[in-house]
Amino acid sequence: MKNLIYLCLAFCMATTAGFAQKLTDKDLQGTWSLVALDVLSSQGIYLDLVNNDIKFSEELQSQATPEVIAQAKESMTSTVDLFKQMKMIINGNEIKQSVPGDEQTGIYSIVNEGEKQILKIIFEDGTDDYAEFYIKDKKLHVNLGPDGLFIYAKKQ
């Protein structure tokens, strides 16, 4: 009997995972502000824009004195301020990404690749971009690989 309960539980979990909710265009609509940038794996830095905090990987911290880390944080303040102004506006199938002084507009589509969802963007200048995306803890995560994981919160 105990084995039957575990078997049913395992089946329910597998079924739930198989029907994991995919994001739709409706989920993406609105204005999204950048709240964090995670480049720990590629550059060893995590920018928490909400709390004005810059975190360094253990590897980087072990290679520098606390004074050097403090100076690095100080020198990155203007970068953090710039990223705080970064936003993404999605309306219909149009997407606009803006940082002060630079704005890109294009058309996006959602491509399903197995368990991943890819945001495919074709910009007005003819260039394109592909990024895995998902929502976790009500935040939109856009994974640009070595360029980092951009984490957005929706403006209410």
Side-chain angles (χ1 to χ4, degrees):
M1 183 67 169
K2 199 176 193 180
N3 288 340
L4 183 58
I5 292 172
Y6 287 130
L7 181 62
C8 288
L9 183 59
F11 176 74
C12 288
M13 289 173 63
T15 304
T16 302
F19 291 108
Q21 183 178 357
K22 296 284 185 179
L23 297 175
T24 66
D25 292 316
K26 184 178 176 183
D27 298 315
L28 299 176
Q29 299 302 302
T31 300
W32 298 84
S33 296
L34 189 66
V35 295
L37 175 58
D38 184 350
V39 285
L40 277 172
S41 61
S42 61
Q43 298 176 28
I45 302 169
Y46 182 91
L47 303 175
D48 179 345
L49 306 176
V50 173
N51 297 308
N52 289 323
D53 192 21
I54 302 169
K55 298 174 184 166
F56 296 97
S57 67
E58 288 181 20
E59 182 181 348
L60 279 179
Q61 289 184 42
S62 70
Q63 296 174 1
T65 66
E67 294 80 22
V68 170
I69 295 291
Q71 287 174 348
K73 284 184 178 185
E74 174 100 16
S75 69
M76 294 179 73
T77 302
S78 61
T79 303
V80 168
D81 290 341
L82 181 69
F83 277 133
K84 282 183 181 180
Q85 298 175 55
M86 188 172 176
K87 60 184 157 180
M88 182 169 49
I89 302 168
I90 299 176
N91 185 18
N93 69 338
E94 293 181 357
I95 187 168
K96 183 189 304 182
Q97 296 174 322
S98 64
V99 178
D102 185 27
E103 187 172 282
Q104 289 187 307
T105 303
I107 303 296
Y108 82 91
S109 59
I110 297 172
V111 178
N112 294 311
E113 291 185 0
E115 296 296 315
K116 294 181 181 181
Q117 286 190 285
I118 307 297
L119 197 60
K120 177 183 175 185
I121 305 169
I122 300 174
F123 294 104
E124 288 179 337
D125 66 3
T127 61
D128 58 13
D129 204 358
Y130 298 85
E132 177 186 0
F133 74 101
Y134 54 91
I135 292 182
K136 179 180 175 185
D137 301 326
K138 297 183 180 181
K139 292 183 176 67
L140 176 63
H141 292 67
V142 180
N143 188 350
L144 294 175
D147 290 333
L149 178 64
F150 290 74
I151 304 170
Y152 295 88
K154 195 174 214 176
K155 282 191 171 181
Q156 299 300 330

